């Protein structure tokens, strides 16, 4: 059961929906899972919620977006068993 944490600035729901579809499609392709096993969590961050390259918040060059993917081989129905010796 892959799940994804999206840490990003607040964006309109249409953009979140487009990202959800793209990420879901990518995970289905990469891990061989079905859409009903993929979950995304959108966590809003403000400019003062992070630092980059030693620079805090709004002074940092552009706001970053972080995707954390959590998945296991057990969630992958097409995962082959390990070879026997």
């Amino acid at each position: 059961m892959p799940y994804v944490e999206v840490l990003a600035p607040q964006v309109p729901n249409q953009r979140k929906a487009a990202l959800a579809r793209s990420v879901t499609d990518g995970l289905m392709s990469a891990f061989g899972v079905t859409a009903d096993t993929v979950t995304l969590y959108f966590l809003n961050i403000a400019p003062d919620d992070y630092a980059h390259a030693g620079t805090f918040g709004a002074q940092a060059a552009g706001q970053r977006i972080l995707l954390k993917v959590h998945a296991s081989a057990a969630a992958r129905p097409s995962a082959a068993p390990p070879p026997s010796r």
Side-chain angles (χ1 to χ4, degrees):
M1 175 173 73
Y3 72 91
V4 179
E5 295 177 65
V6 181
L7 290 84
Q10 178 67 39
V11 295
N13 285 340
Q14 301 91 322
R15 290 180 65 190
K16 287 192 251 184
L19 178 64
R21 184 77 258 155
S22 294
V23 169
T24 299
D25 288 347
L27 289 171
M28 289 168 48
S29 175
F31 290 101
V33 298
T34 58
D36 62 326
T37 66
V38 178
T39 302
L40 278 75
Y41 296 95
F42 291 92
L43 308 170
N44 297 324
I45 58 170
D48 62 350
D49 286 338
Y50 74 100
H52 176 72
T55 304
F56 176 74
Q59 284 70 37
Q63 189 156 6
R64 303 294 195 246
I65 297 170
L66 173 67
L67 298 178
K68 296 191 314 185
V69 179
H70 304 267
S72 69
R76 187 174 161 196
S78 62
S84 58
R85 293 187 181 213

